Every structure is written in C-alpha cells, then in structure tokens.
Amino acid sequence: MKKILIITAALALSISAGFAQQKLAYVNSEYVLKHIPEYAAAQKQLDDLSTKWQEEVDAKFEEIERLYKAYQNDQTLLNDDMRRRREDEIVNKEREVKDLQRKRFGFEGELFKQRSQLIQPIQQRLTKAIQDIAAAESLDLILDRSTEATFLFANPALDKSNAVITKLGFKPDPKLAD
C-alpha cells in the first residue's frame, strides 16, 4: 500500500512538473502594429473611406429632412393623392439611404470587405512572425496583451513584442508603447 502511495505521489509530481515546464510569453499586438507603416496607411485609407461614405449618407438624410419639412409646410395645401405620393417619396428615400448605410457599414458591408482586404495580409505577417518566434524559442503559448482586461499582471521578461517587431524587419520604438 505504501509503495502505491509513493508511486502515485511521484507520478503526480512528475505530471505537475511537466505542466510547470510549459513556456509562456505574450505580445502586445497594438504596439507591434504601430511599427508597421502599411498598417497606418491602411487605417488612414479606411478612415478616409469611412468619412467619405458617412458624409454621403448624412447628405442623403439631410435631403430627406428637407423633403419632410417641405411636406409639412405644404401639407394643408395638398390633396390626399398628392399627400400620399409625397409621403411615399420620403419613405422610399429613407429606405434607400438605410439600405446604402447597411451596404457600406453593415456586417460584411463594403467597409468590412475593404478592412479585410487591407488589414488581413498585415495580420497574417504578424501571425507568421509570432509563430516563428514561438517555434524558435520553443514556446507553448503566446497571449495577446493588447486588451488590458485580460492581464492583471504580466512579467515584462515574457514580452516578445520587440522580438516580433524585429522579426517583421522594423526597429522597436518604446515611444509607441502608449
């Protein structure tokens, strides 16, 4: 019985020691992305496109507002048929603008597609660099620190962000850290 207890304890210790041997690290992907000029250019392009499209949508809503105010002013002068046509025109224009808004900004809309097209290759390079570092340093797990809510504390010695930046061919700049 004593031998079984000793064997079980030794087995438990070796298993827990095996888990303790796992190597962990983290990367601040936001910090890394600030070092990639293509990322900043892509973000600017997306922001410009978003602003342009939002201005277009806003102008169409302003036009609808003008039509509605004109309708309210003329409402007493219009017969039922003319009133119904003007109401239908306003409702149809509102529907068109909302469809345009959904087409441009909605889930899987044009902005989403542009973002995927511009940002995805950069993210793939980042992922590849992280995987290369993980393989080179025999790391078992690399976490992303860009979301502060996930980390209550992180040992700076485990931070591989600068290694990823170097792997991507850039020079780490601590001023970009926040």
Side-chain angles (χ1 to χ4, degrees), residues 33-105:
L33 289 171
K34 287 179 184 177
H35 286 79
I36 303 174
E38 297 93 345
Y39 180 76
Q43 279 300 117
K44 183 175 179 354
Q45 187 176 346
L46 290 169
D47 291 344
D48 292 346
L49 192 59
S50 176
T51 300
K52 176 184 161 194
W53 286 344
Q54 188 60 50
E55 288 171 356
E56 180 184 354
V57 168
D58 290 345
K60 290 183 182 286
F61 275 123
E62 286 173 12
E63 178 187 344
I64 292 168
E65 186 66 30
R66 281 193 303 275
L67 285 173
Y68 183 70
K69 285 180 181 177
Y71 167 74
Q72 284 181 323
N73 291 336
D74 299 343
Q75 189 174 11
T76 56
L77 305 172
L78 302 173
N79 65 33
D80 288 343
D81 185 47
M82 292 172 72
R83 202 173 303 137
R84 194 172 2 85
R85 276 190 275 159
R86 297 263 299 264
E87 288 170 357
D88 288 345
E89 178 187 9
I90 293 169
V91 168
N92 287 335
K93 285 192 181 282
E94 258 184 315
R95 188 177 305 122
E96 288 172 11
V97 174
K98 287 181 181 179
D99 286 344
L100 176 65
Q101 197 173 28
R102 192 172 18 265
K103 178 182 150 197
R104 296 275 167 86
F105 298 105

Side-chain angles (χ1 to χ4, degrees), residues 130-150:
I130 291 170
Q131 289 170 345
D132 289 348
I133 289 170
E137 297 184 22
S138 301
L139 297 171
D140 296 315
L141 181 66
I142 296 182
L143 303 169
D144 188 358
R145 185 176 182 164
S146 65
T147 55
E148 289 294 325
T150 309

Side-chain angles (χ1 to χ4, degrees), residues 13-24:
L13 277 172
S14 66
I15 290 173
S16 66
F19 283 120
Q21 295 297 320
Q22 289 182 336
K23 293 177 71 182
L24 305 174

Side-chain angles (χ1 to χ4, degrees), residues 33 38-51 53 104-124:
L33 289 171
E38 297 93 345
Y39 180 76
Q43 279 300 117
K44 183 175 179 354
Q45 187 176 346
L46 290 169
D47 291 344
D48 292 346
L49 192 59
S50 176
T51 300
W53 286 344
R104 296 275 167 86
F105 298 105
F107 180 69
E108 294 193 21
E110 292 176 31
L111 188 62
F112 177 83
K113 290 175 185 171
Q114 284 291 321
R115 184 175 310 280
S116 294
Q117 183 180 357
L118 294 171
I119 302 295
Q120 192 170 16
I122 298 166
Q123 288 176 329
Q124 287 172 340

